[in-house]
Amino acid sequence: MPRTESTESFDYIIVGAGSAGCVLADRLSADGSNRVLVLEAGGSDKSLYIQMPAALAIPMNTSRWNWQYETEPEPNLDNRRLHTPRGKGLGGSSSINGLVYIRGNPLDFERWEEEGARGWNYAQVLPYFKRAERRDEGGDAYRGGEGPLDTRYGTLKNPLNQAWLDAAKQAGYPLTDDVNGYQQEGFGRMDMTVRNGERCSAAKAYLHPAMKRANVEVRQHALARRIVFEGKRAVGIEYERGGKIETVRAVREVVLAGGPINSPQLLKLSGIGPAEELARHGIKVLADRAGVGANLQDHLEFYFQIACTKPVTLYGQANLLGKAMVGARWLLNRSGLGASNHFESCGFIRSRAGIRYPDIQYHFFPMAVSYDGNSLASEHGFQAHVGPMRSKSRGSVTLRSADPHEKPVIRFNYLSHPDDWEEMRACVRLTREIFAQDAFKPWRGREIQPGEDVTSDAAIDAFIRQKVESAYHPSCTCKIGSVDDPMAVVDPELRVIGVEGLRVVDSSVMPSVTTGNLNAPSIMIGEKGADHILGKGLLPPSNAPFHVAPNWETAQR
């Protein structure tokens, strides 16, 4: 392949136009003084399938927009290989995700600081969540009203959403006005990243406005091959585009924003990672960092499905005519069922007494179908997506070879810790109890899945092994930590430990996975990371309080 040695230089090179990369492109270029280059392996996000919220399963399963990774056979899941979608193209995973906006629990960020992420506690990250957000209902002490990223609630018109909330209350759980505000614990409305009936991805919120500036360039279909170093300093990126290998230089810094799979892969291809693994692939070791690609975390979930006795579910629109009608209304004025992701109500609960804050998440969905659209609905039904939030299992991302075209080896080691099984069994039993409440009496048919006979530990475990899926929240493979932590990859200012001029800014830097979906915290990481890179003073910390259940030590609810 021909090589082109470029004399081009930019102040900052950002690798990856995903959730955090889009934020960086905007914030680093905002005052006009820095020349910013964004390298993205994928292409454009201009597609009605991406823009239409209800069509989310299509881009998620299309190779044009998805790296289409899969795990190695998972030993605790009957050796199944699990789908691990990652966004490819402008907006990254924010262009193919379920559009759910969940920040995480305040105590997640208190935990981060305890784990070595100094300066990333709740008081210090909340202002960056607020800076990012333009909430449809306006801002307050917790929510942003003037940021680039639009969030809104669904209409909750489907009566099953109200039944879900009423049933939770009948089961003894609290309702909360805002799971992203003072109190996450409980049941309530779920925010979605939608603007005027269309997906509000990080590309729409941040990147497209930034691309109008003369000091920003975005190169699509540009696959980063390695980071170029002079001594221990990152000075550029070697990338492949249009059948040629090109090199471009960074005057100030190189910033990796490729996400929890691609960022550790590129670090390793460039000589930063566990020395033994790099040597095995003939890669010269620049910095021996054992934590690169380690500490991989995710959320697992399953679908608890109930048949519905009345034709009120989305199954009524699942036929050809129904889809055509929904699509036509959306095309006409960006309204109707096409303008929602239909994850409009949710819940966060604790699995048992002695858990300080929620470790189970619910997405309620008024149809019985798989999230990725692979199994079609066959009858009227409804479901709760449910899964534990703080698995103790840890996995890894390792190189398959030194070829940047080869997909890395992804092993989550799902359910390799016994506590994870306890939480999964609690998910089944606690969910069944909610669906058994009187609020669902007018709608409740048979239990489609797991099935009413799945009650013993052994039966539940067998069901989980066969049916549990990833919630698509890989993270934590380049974790923040103190420089003396041998497993840390970046310091609290997101600088890669052991080299200079290089940072990682994406969900891979999380020390531990947050309680909920990862798009919102990934965007927050981009916002705060931009201030670290620019050397600006950080936003003043918030003094907003947050809820912890007063009886958490003695009661489950």
Side-chain angles (χ1 to χ4, degrees):
M1 196 177 288
R3 289 178 179 267
T4 305
E5 286 301 324
S6 172
T7 54
E8 275 189 303
S9 66
F10 292 81
D11 292 293
Y12 297 103
I13 300 173
I14 300 163
V15 181
S19 297
C22 289
V23 178
L24 293 169
D26 180 30
R27 298 303 189 191
L28 299 183
S29 66
D31 69 0
S33 64
N34 295 312
R35 292 195 66 224
V36 175
L37 173 66
V38 182
L39 298 174
E40 169 53 49
S44 170
D45 60 336
K46 294 281 194 292
S47 166
L48 291 177
Y49 291 132
I50 286 178
Q51 303 312 322
M52 182 180 182
L56 61 94
I58 296 172
M60 186 183 288
N61 289 284
T62 303
S63 58
R64 175 182 163 191
W65 298 300
N66 179 6
W67 285 93
Q68 294 197 311
Y69 294 128
E70 63 176 14
T71 69
E72 296 302 293
E74 286 286 342
N76 298 302
L77 302 182
D78 290 345
N79 286 315
R80 289 188 292 136
R81 290 180 182 268
L82 269 60
H83 187 36
T84 309
R86 294 284 85 205
K88 184 167 125 183
L90 303 186
S93 294
S94 76
S95 289
I96 69 167
N97 69 0
L99 299 91
V100 171
Y101 182 82
I102 292 288
R103 291 174 172 182
N105 191 284
L107 285 168
D108 291 328
F109 306 104
E110 302 297 294
R111 178 187 178 189
W112 281 12
E113 186 146 85
E114 290 166 12
E115 292 170 332
R118 184 175 34 80
W120 290 82
N121 63 30
Y122 183 63
Q124 287 164 302
V125 302
L126 179 55
Y128 288 99
F129 279 117
K130 290 183 65 178
R131 185 168 84 179
E133 185 185 19
R134 180 165 56 229
R135 187 192 191 205
D136 187 51
E137 295 189 357
D140 58 25
Y142 300 90
R143 306 298 292 268
E146 297 169 6
L149 183 75
D150 285 66
T151 68
R152 65 185 307 111
Y153 293 117
T155 62
L156 297 179
K157 277 183 181 172
N158 191 295
L160 292 168
N161 282 299
Q162 191 59 51
W164 171 249
L165 299 176
D166 291 344
K169 191 174 180 184
Q170 289 169 0
Y173 294 105
L175 299 182
T176 174
D177 290 337
D178 185 2
V179 295
N180 287 311
Y182 166 71
Q183 181 172 336
Q184 185 194 51
E185 183 166 347
F187 289 72
R189 300 178 296 174
M190 196 172 227
D191 296 89
M192 62 178 98
T193 48
V194 170
R195 175 193 295 171
N196 299 327
E198 295 185 352
R199 177 189 291 271
C200 187
S201 66
K204 181 170 283 185
Y206 291 93
L207 187 62
H208 291 302
M211 287 169 72
K212 294 174 182 169
R213 299 177 190 141
N215 59 325
V216 175
E217 184 175 342
V218 178
R219 291 184 188 163
Q220 299 174 37
H221 306 292
L223 176 72
R225 295 171 57 88
R226 67 182 180 95
I227 305 156
V228 179
F229 284 91
E230 289 178 358
K232 290 261 187 175
R233 182 167 189 86
V235 295
I237 291 286
E238 178 186 282
Y239 68 96
E240 193 177 310
R241 186 171 64 146
K244 290 190 293 191
I245 295 173
E246 304 177 27
T247 304
V248 63
R249 291 181 68 86
V251 175
R252 293 179 182 269
E253 292 189 35
V254 172
V255 187
L256 305 191
I261 310 298
N262 297 45
S263 285
Q265 180 189 26
L266 187 57
L267 286 173
K268 290 179 178 185
L269 290 171
S270 308
I272 301 168
E276 186 184 348
E277 181 188 344
L278 302 188
R280 202 161 59 242
H281 296 291
I283 297 169
K284 184 182 173 188
V285 179
L286 183 70
D288 180 6
R289 300 301 306 175
V292 177
N295 194 43
L296 176 63
Q297 297 173 42
D298 191 16
H299 293 141
L300 283 174
E301 65 179 15
F302 61 89
Y303 314 127
F304 200 115
Q305 299 177 328
I306 306 286
C308 190
T309 56
K310 295 180 183 177
V312 296
T313 77
L314 297 176
Y315 180 63
Q317 283 74 41
N319 55 63
L320 209 56
L321 177 62
K323 287 178 180 177
M325 298 284 283
V326 169
R329 181 173 175 186
W330 182 81
L331 286 168
L332 194 64
N333 57 15
R334 299 299 192 263
S335 69
L337 294 174
S340 174
N341 61 357
H342 301 288
F343 293 115
E344 297 185 356
S345 57
C346 64
F348 291 90
I349 66 172
R350 292 172 289 114
S351 61
R352 58 181 173 81
I355 304 287
R356 193 175 176 206
Y357 64 105
D359 59 342
I360 292 175
Q361 179 183 15
Y362 289 106
H363 302 65
F364 181 76
F365 194 68
M367 188 174 176
V369 67
S370 71
Y371 179 25
D372 62 12
N374 281 339
S375 68
L376 297 173
S378 57
E379 63 183 301
H380 278 286
F382 47 88
Q383 67 191 32
H385 300 210
V386 54
M389 291 288 97
R390 290 189 291 283
S391 165
K392 292 179 180 171
S393 303
R394 296 291 180 270
S396 62
V397 175
T398 55
L399 294 179
R400 203 171 294 278
S401 78
D403 180 354
H405 294 273
E406 278 221 68
K407 292 179 179 179
V409 177
I410 302 169
R411 287 190 180 90
F412 284 97
N413 297 319
Y414 289 124
L415 295 168
S416 54
H417 194 288
D419 289 359
D420 297 352
W421 286 100
E422 289 290 333
E423 290 168 354
M424 277 293 178
R425 293 172 199 137
C427 286
V428 171
R429 290 173 174 138
L430 294 170
T431 309
R432 185 171 279 144
E433 182 191 14
I434 294 169
F435 280 136
Q437 300 299 317
D438 284 347
F440 275 112
K441 205 169 185 179
W443 325 103
R444 186 174 56 238
R446 77 186 195 292
E447 186 179 302
I448 301 171
Q449 182 176 287
E452 282 150 18
D453 56 337
V454 178
T455 56
S456 68
D457 284 2
I460 290 172
D461 291 355
F463 163 75
I464 293 298
R465 279 195 296 273
Q466 293 161 16
K467 294 293 187 180
V468 80
E469 296 290 341
S470 170
Y472 310 145
H473 300 156
S475 48
C476 309
T477 49
C478 299
K479 75 167 189 169
I480 305 171
S482 58
V483 292
D484 56 0
D485 177 354
M487 296 305 290
V489 177
V490 298
D491 71 11
E493 294 192 18
L494 309 184
R495 297 173 294 212
V496 176
I497 299 166
V499 296
E500 295 174 6
L502 179 64
R503 297 194 208 224
V504 180
V505 184
D506 57 38
S507 66
S508 68
V509 305
M510 295 179 171
S512 50
V513 69
T514 51
T515 304
N517 312 64
L518 297 197
N519 188 235
S522 298
I523 287 170
M524 176 277 289
I525 288 166
E527 285 278 11
K528 189 166 184 281
D531 278 3
H532 286 302
I533 291 166
L534 292 168
K536 293 173 112 176
L538 298 179
L539 296 178
S542 166
N543 60 5
F546 57 84
H547 170 83
V548 177
N551 64 344
W552 69 268
E553 289 175 291
T554 56
Q556 182 261 331
R557 67 193 88 169

